[in-house]
């Protein structure tokens, strides 16, 4: 057999190669029978590799699922046994995993399936809450007594009322007990129905007096002849919620009023800090406010009278006038002796003094003649004027929530400036700056001196003695974060180890890649050994015409024969590389 300088073999020396393989390599022993022999066979090794690959993949998947711990959340809690059984049966039909909490008071499902499961169960009418409504009347049996009908009706009415009360946002569960007396034909024996309601509120929730009153009237309006005073409401802690006398005696503020005061104070603080912060900088001003709010409701009525006014400005309420005039001409009087006597002096009121004086002057004439009896009369005039009395009536109603007094305290940090050396220094505010800030705060808070409001603005340097910053590993939550990250890092390391050290070699063996790499390596070693042998014989490996046979003697052949031998050697090495490698090894070992 001849070997070219490039490491390929030429010639048809199969017998010689086989003899070399038999001489240079140990003979293979026959494989034992049974399972051991099957395991050593190519098919057995392949099955074992497949089983090992499947086990490795299963182990990796198990580790990954173990790391992805499913978080369970509460689906329903505080349910009765009947609803619990129905819920569990529905979850099994929907293939939803579930488990119970400690004590079995709640059913837990995976976090990502809570809302979906609730909606599906609600479509089935679960949970029913243990309260039976009027659907109880749909399954009446034939021949049922009147007493049982009355009992079923009362149970249905109690269940419907309990469902209505449970619809409130603060009520978790509710039970209603009705005491319905038996009707009587005698008026003196008639009794009024009563009701009792037991509420279980959600943690942190409460019912104000208006909500309690609403529940009372809801129950009272649902039962004929039931008075609101005959309804008793008790919470899960045994507190009597329907006690109106206790509520009337308490003078404390309810949560709504307290929230109103807190919102007012926070609004004042926000307004003060927002108007001062642009002047002194963010974080350099702190403010607190206290509001004294009057929640009492007051009403006041007053009536005031002014002094008498002048006639021209006073209002006339009523005016009454009367006038009488009696006049006569010629001789008048009673016939007789008295008629010849002179008349007596007039006693009527003098209305016109000038006329009276003229009459007097006329009476005192020089010749002393008496006045003429032909002009005599009697006149009277009365007038009454009533003026309106000036009066002011004022009716004042003071609403709730009025501010009695405001107290605001403001602390302003020193101003930060740069001195001549370029360092940052803190200096106090000037008097003008303090007055400016004080005026702005008064305007922002709505300062009222008559109301007794108080304002105190202090300019001081804020303390910088803060707690030292904790290292990163001591920050809150960093330990838990590090544990979580370490878990995923360890998981990734285990998965990579199983993949690169176990799974990938098995896959390579199953796909034949490892065998191909081994044969390629042996072929490269054989070619390198052939090239080394050619160099040792004194031939140029780059000369295609240089041929080396097994004895190492050179011979010059034609180019066509060389190409034919080269193709034969390549085909031989491709079809049976193990044999070629064995020949090269035996050749190298024999030198």
């Amino acid at each position: 057999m001849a070997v070219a300088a490039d490491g390929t073999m030429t010639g048809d020396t199969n017998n010689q190669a086989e003899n070399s393989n038999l001489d240079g390599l140990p003979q293979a022993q026959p494989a034992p029978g049974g399972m051991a022999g099957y395991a050593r066979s190519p098919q057995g090794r392949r099955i074992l590799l497949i089983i090992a690959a499947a086990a490795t993949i299963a182990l990796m998947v198990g580790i990954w699922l173990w790391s992805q711990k499913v978080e369970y959340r509460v689906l329903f809690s505080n349910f009765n046994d009947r609803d619990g059984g129905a819920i569990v049966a529905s979850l099994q039909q929907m293939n939803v995993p579930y488990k119970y909490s400690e004590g079995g008071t709640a059913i837990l499902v995976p976090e990502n399936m809570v809302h979906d499961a609730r909606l599906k169960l609600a479509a089935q009418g679960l949970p029913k809450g243990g309260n039976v409504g009027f659907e109880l009347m749909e399954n009446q049996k034939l021949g049922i007594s009147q007493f049982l009908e009355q009992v079923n009706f009362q149970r249905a009415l109690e269940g419907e009322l309990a469902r209505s009360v449970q619809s409130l946002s603060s009520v978790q569960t509710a039970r209603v007990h009705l005491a319905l007396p038996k009707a009587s034909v005698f008026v003196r024996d008639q009794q009024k129905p009563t009701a009792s309601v037991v509420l279980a509120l959600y943690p942190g929730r409460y019912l104000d007096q208006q909500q309690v009153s609403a529940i009372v009237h809801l129950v009272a309006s649902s039962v004929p002849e039931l008075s609101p005073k005959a309804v008793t409401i008790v919470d899960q802690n045994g507190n009597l919620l329907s006690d109106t006398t206790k509520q009337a005696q308490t003078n404390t503020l309810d949560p709504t009023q307290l929230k109103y005061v807190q919102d007012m104070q926070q609004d004042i603080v926000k307004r003060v800090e927002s108007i001062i912060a642009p002047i002194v900088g963010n974080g350099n001003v702190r403010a607190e406010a206290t509001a004294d709010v009057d929640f009492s409701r007051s009403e006041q009525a007053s009536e005031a009278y002014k002094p008498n006014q002048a006639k021209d400005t006073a209002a006339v309420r009523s005016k009454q006038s009367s006038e009488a005039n009696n006049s006569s001409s010629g001789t008048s009087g009673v016939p007789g002796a008295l008629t010849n006597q002179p008349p007596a002096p007039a006693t009527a009121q003098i209305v016109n003094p000038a006329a009276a004086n003229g009459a007097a002057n006329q009476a005192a004439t020089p010749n002393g003649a008496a006045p003429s009896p032909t002009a005599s009369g009697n006149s009277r005039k009365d007038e009454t004027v009533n003026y309106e009395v000036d009066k002011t009536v004022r009716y004042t109603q003071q609403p709730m929530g009025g501010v009695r007094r405001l107290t605001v305290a403001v602390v302003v940090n020193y101003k930060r400036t740069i001195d001549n050396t370029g360092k940052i220094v803190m200096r106090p505010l000037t008097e003008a700056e303090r007055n400016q800030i004080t005026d702005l705060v008064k305007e922002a808070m709505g300062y009222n001196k008559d109301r007794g409001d108080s304002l105190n603005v202090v300019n001081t340097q804020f303390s910088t003695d803060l707690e030292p910053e904790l290292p990163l590993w001591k920050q809150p939550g960093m330990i838990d974060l590090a544990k979580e990250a370490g878990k995923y890092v360890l998981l990734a390391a285990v998965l990579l180890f199983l993949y690169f050290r176990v799974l990938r070699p098995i896959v390579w063996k199953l796909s034949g890649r490892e065998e191909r790499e081994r044969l390629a390596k042996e072929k490269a070693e054989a070619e390198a050994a052939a090239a080394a042998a050619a160099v040792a014989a004194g031939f140029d490996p780059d000369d295609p015409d240089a041929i080396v046979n097994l004895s190492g003697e050179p011979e010059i052949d034609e180019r066509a024969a060389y190409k034919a031998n080269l193709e034969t050697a390549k085909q031989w090495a491709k079809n049976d590389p193990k044999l070629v490698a064995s020949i090269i090894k035996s050749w190298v070992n024999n030198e």
Side-chain angles (χ1 to χ4, degrees), residues 100 122 144 156 160 163 186 235 237 239 272 293 295 319-320 341 375 427 448 474 505 526 534 539:
Y100 302 101
I144 190 172
E160 293 293 338
R163 290 178 182 178
F186 301 100
D235 63 0
N237 298 323
N239 299 323
V272 170
V293 182
F295 288 100
K319 183 177 181 181
Q320 182 180 3
Q341 296 179 358
R427 66 168 183 84
N448 189 354
K474 292 184 178 180
F539 297 99

Side-chain angles (χ1 to χ4, degrees), residues 192-450:
K192 299 296 183 180
T194 58
S196 300
V197 182
V198 181
L199 303 178
L201 305 179
Y202 285 102
R205 302 288 184 87
Y206 66 92
L207 295 177
D208 55 17
Q209 191 60 31
Q210 293 182 352
Q211 292 174 326
V212 173
S213 179
I215 296 175
V216 169
H217 286 80
L218 172 65
V219 176
S221 302
S222 302
V223 180
E225 299 183 0
L226 178 59
S227 174
K229 296 181 180 180
V231 179
T232 303
I233 299 180
V234 183
D235 63 0
Q236 71 271 25
N237 298 323
N239 299 323
L240 182 60
L241 303 180
S242 58
D243 189 4
T244 58
T245 59
K246 181 179 178 181
Q247 182 68 19
Q249 292 175 359
T250 57
N251 296 324
T252 57
L253 299 179
D254 59 12
T256 305
Q257 295 175 349
L258 293 176
K259 187 177 184 302
Y260 175 77
V261 175
Q262 293 176 359
D263 293 344
M264 178 182 293
Q265 295 175 167
Q266 292 176 1
D267 181 65
I268 294 175
V269 171
K270 183 178 179 181
R271 285 185 293 173
V272 170
E273 292 182 351
S274 63
I275 198 172
I276 303 301
I279 300 177
V280 299
N282 294 327
N284 293 324
V285 57
R286 297 289 186 273
E288 290 293 336
T290 302
D292 184 7
V293 182
D294 184 12
F295 288 100
S296 62
R297 188 186 301 273
S298 61
E299 298 179 359
Q300 182 181 2
S302 62
E303 186 174 351
Y305 295 90
K306 292 183 179 180
N308 295 333
Q309 301 178 358
K311 293 182 179 181
D312 54 348
T313 59
V316 178
R317 182 176 184 180
S318 63
K319 183 177 181 181
Q320 182 180 3
S321 61
S322 62
E323 184 176 356
N325 187 6
N326 188 9
S327 61
S328 60
S329 59
T331 304
S332 64
V334 180
L338 294 177
T339 306
N340 299 324
Q341 296 179 358
T347 59
Q349 183 180 359
I350 299 175
V351 178
N352 192 354
N357 293 335
N361 294 332
Q362 187 178 4
T365 55
N367 53 7
S372 174
T374 59
S376 64
N378 188 6
S379 176
R380 182 179 178 180
K381 183 178 181 181
D382 296 331
E383 184 177 2
T384 302
V385 180
N386 295 325
Y387 295 95
E388 190 67 41
V389 178
D390 194 355
K391 180 179 66 173
T392 302
V393 177
R394 181 178 291 105
Y395 183 82
T396 305
Q397 182 178 5
Q398 184 68 26
M400 297 175 58
V403 179
R404 294 175 181 169
R405 187 170 181 265
L406 288 178
T407 303
V408 179
V410 182
V411 180
V412 182
N413 191 15
Y414 280 179
K415 192 173 184 179
R416 183 177 300 178
T417 57
I418 301 177
D419 58 2
N420 297 330
T421 60
K423 296 182 179 180
I424 299 177
V425 296
M426 306 295 292
R427 66 168 183 84
L429 299 177
T430 62
E431 188 67 24
E433 292 174 342
R434 291 187 58 183
N435 294 335
Q436 182 183 12
I437 292 176
T438 302
D439 295 339
L440 290 176
V441 173
K442 287 183 177 180
E443 295 295 334
M445 64 176 284
Y447 182 83
N448 189 354
K449 183 178 180 181
D450 298 335

Side-chain angles (χ1 to χ4, degrees), residues 137-216:
M137 308 299 294
E138 298 176 357
N139 300 323
Q140 294 291 338
K141 297 180 180 179
L142 183 63
I144 190 172
S145 63
Q146 185 179 2
F147 174 75
L148 291 179
E149 287 182 352
Q150 183 65 25
V151 171
N152 291 337
F153 174 75
Q154 183 173 344
R155 288 180 57 194
L157 184 58
E158 291 175 352
E160 293 293 338
L161 288 175
R163 290 178 182 178
S164 300
V165 175
Q166 286 180 7
S167 62
L168 300 178
S169 60
S170 300
V171 179
Q172 186 175 10
T173 58
R175 295 191 65 185
V176 179
H177 303 279
L178 298 178
L180 303 178
K182 188 177 180 181
S184 176
V185 295
F186 301 100
V187 178
R188 66 180 65 181
D189 295 336
Q190 290 182 357
Q191 297 180 1
K192 299 296 183 180
T194 58
S196 300
V197 182
V198 181
L199 303 178
L201 305 179
Y202 285 102
R205 302 288 184 87
Y206 66 92
L207 295 177
D208 55 17
Q209 191 60 31
Q210 293 182 352
Q211 292 174 326
V212 173
S213 179
I215 296 175
V216 169

